[in-house]
Amino acid sequence: MILVTGATGQLGRVVIEHLMKQGDAGPVAGLVRDEAKASDLKAKGVDVRVGDYNDVGSLDAAMKGVERVLLISGTEMDAAKSLQQHANIIDAAKRAGVRFIAYTGRAMREPSATETKLMKGHFETEDLIRESGLTYALFRNALYMETIVYFVAKGGYRPGQAATFETDIRLPAGQGKVAYALRSELGEAIANALHQGVGEDHVYTLTAGQAWSFDDVARSLGELSGKPVTYTPIDKATFEAQMLGRGVLEAMARLFSGFYRDILEGQLDEVTPEMERLLGRKPAALEDGLKVLFHL
Ligand code: NAP
């Protein structure tokens, strides 16, 4: 049996859906912290297990009879707490005699150079997995294409709202490029890799077939919408002052400017053929994704 954590989350749901489509994938269990959100999973035949990354006892109970675990990184914003949560899952897996663990981290060219603690935490989790002695797969996911909705939103974006975009995009990302991938395609690729089975330790870097700058994002949005859209690189201090001016908390403004710094420094522009191989087709290009995300 495979246990997918974060089963009520967006990536977890896609992975489970594709694992179940494969038919011969065997029983699929999902770890959820709120059972009320999992009725659709139960209806599909997922073995729903309730547990919280912070609650070791609940994780021990959830691992019963599990042979493989896909640990989907949590949403905790405090990097130290987040790492502890991931350690709790890895340790529970070891105690339960799980033989294989997979983890969804991030694609980054030079992890030691990032100043973003949450990004570093992904690689620290990978180290814990390597040290665990379990057979592993590390999925280093590209930045979700869906995040563009947040980057270019007019006056800020909240989940559930219709996506809008500024026609005068100003960000501290220079001409840095990102090999964005759609979350749905990342989930599908991960499910395919898990289905193919991994006999030995493996690191997958899952990216689009190309990387795009914010000039490319602006050009594409302009072509698709018929409106002139421009991108102007700005400096970090100007960006942070703008965020604070809009009432964004200082810690959040710093976090975002750290993400843009990684983009500017070329940390997210690596392109690999692995996602195309796992999907059996080319991953969505920027224009395809923008059409869907902005209903263009
Ligand atoms: P998501 O929709 O927010 O799902 C996160 C899942 O983690 C949810 O199911 C959530 O449970 C679960 N979770 C969080 N804390 C937990 C805890 N303490 N105990 C048990 N479950 C917990 O995020 P996503 O879109 O699926 O993405 C998956 C992960 O990728 C994120 O959590 C984040 O680490 C990372 N991420 C990657 C990118 C990227 O660009 N590659 C961008 C953003 C985030 P609930 O359903 O109960 O909330």
Side-chain angles (χ1 to χ4, degrees), residues 5 7 20 30 34 43 61-62 66-67 75 90 93 126-127 156 166-167 174 177 232 235 265 281 289 291 296:
T5 77
M20 298 199 73
D34 179 359
V66 170
E67 291 156 344
T75 47
I90 298 161
E126 290 189 357
D127 289 342
E166 278 288 357
T167 49
K177 294 187 173 185
T232 311
D235 62 58
E265 293 182 343
R281 62 174 190 276
K291 269 188 205 164
L296 294 169

Side-chain angles (χ1 to χ4, degrees), residues 78-123:
D78 178 310
K81 284 186 190 159
S82 168
L83 186 62
Q84 184 58 54
Q85 291 183 342
H86 296 163
N88 289 347
I89 306 258
I90 298 161
D91 291 344
K94 273 170 67 178
R95 279 192 298 275
V98 165
R99 63 177 169 82
F100 167 87
I101 189 160
Y103 175 69
T104 61
R106 286 294 301 278
M108 183 157 276
R109 277 193 190 273
E110 190 41 72
S112 62
T114 180
E115 290 182 352
T116 312
K117 286 187 186 153
L118 279 172
M119 290 301 114
K120 280 189 189 297
H122 286 298
F123 297 93

Side-chain angles (χ1 to χ4, degrees), residues 272-288:
T272 81
E274 287 179 278
M275 191 154 157
E276 178 172 350
R277 183 179 62 74
L278 286 168
L279 290 174
R281 62 174 190 276
K282 288 193 184 308
L286 178 70
E287 202 190 34
D288 306 324

Side-chain angles (χ1 to χ4, degrees), residues 249-260:
L249 293 176
E250 195 175 336
M252 201 49 84
R254 290 245 169 81
L255 182 69
F256 268 83
S257 90
F259 291 150
Y260 290 119

Side-chain angles (χ1 to χ4, degrees), residues 6-12 33-34 37 51-54 72-75 85 106 122 141-144 147 183:
T8 47
Q10 299 163 90
L11 185 65
R33 58 177 165 177
D34 179 359
K37 285 170 71 180
D52 192 298
Y53 294 178
N54 295 308
I72 293 199
S73 52
T75 47
Q85 291 183 342
R106 286 294 301 278
H122 286 298
N141 291 348
L143 187 61
Y144 297 155
T147 54
R183 179 165 31 210

Side-chain angles (χ1 to χ4, degrees), residues 21-252:
K21 262 190 205 162
Q22 273 140 3
D24 59 345
V28 177
L31 184 83
V32 309
R33 58 177 165 177
D34 179 359
E35 203 171 357
K37 285 170 71 180
S39 46
D40 60 319
L41 294 174
K42 281 185 187 168
K44 285 181 189 149
V46 178
D47 180 349
V48 171
R49 302 187 172 195
V50 180
D52 192 298
Y53 294 178
N54 295 308
D55 176 354
V56 171
S58 72
L59 298 177
D60 282 338
M63 296 276 175
K64 293 224 162 66
V66 170
E67 291 156 344
R68 301 194 296 159
V69 171
L70 170 64
L71 165 53
I72 293 199
S73 52
T75 47
E76 170 59 57
M77 297 302 271
D78 178 310
K81 284 186 190 159
S82 168
L83 186 62
Q84 184 58 54
Q85 291 183 342
H86 296 163
N88 289 347
I89 306 258
I90 298 161
D91 291 344
K94 273 170 67 178
R95 279 192 298 275
V98 165
R99 63 177 169 82
F100 167 87
I101 189 160
Y103 175 69
T104 61
R106 286 294 301 278
M108 183 157 276
R109 277 193 190 273
E110 190 41 72
S112 62
T114 180
E115 290 182 352
T116 312
K117 286 187 186 153
L118 279 172
M119 290 301 114
K120 280 189 189 297
H122 286 298
F123 297 93
E124 288 161 359
T125 301
E126 290 189 357
D127 289 342
L128 294 179
I129 288 175
R130 283 198 190 85
E131 289 158 13
S132 72
L134 301 174
T135 303
Y136 61 79
L138 304 174
F139 294 105
R140 292 183 171 170
N141 291 348
L143 187 61
Y144 297 155
M145 207 180 280
E146 286 82 351
T147 54
I148 295 175
V149 167
Y150 290 85
F151 296 155
V152 305
K154 231 178 200 166
Y157 175 77
R158 284 190 182 72
Q161 283 180 344
T164 57
F165 58 88
E166 278 288 357
T167 49
D168 175 21
I169 301 166
R170 293 172 177 266
L171 295 170
Q175 292 305 327
K177 294 187 173 185
V178 182
Y180 300 102
L182 284 175
R183 179 165 31 210
S184 55
E185 291 195 329
L186 285 165
E188 184 180 344
I190 290 168
N192 288 347
L194 293 171
H195 182 242
Q196 285 167 14
V198 187
E200 51 192 42
D201 302 337
H202 198 89
V203 179
Y204 297 84
T205 300
L206 302 180
T207 72
Q210 186 188 333
W212 298 274
S213 67
F214 278 101
D215 266 340
D216 296 323
V217 172
R219 191 177 314 111
S220 235
L221 283 172
E223 284 167 9
L224 290 168
S225 66
K227 296 179 196 164
V229 183
T230 56
Y231 165 61
T232 311
I234 57 174
D235 62 58
K236 181 181 156 189
T238 308
F239 172 75
E240 287 182 7
Q242 271 176 12
M243 296 270 281
L244 295 179
R246 283 190 206 144
V248 174
L249 293 176
E250 195 175 336
M252 201 49 84

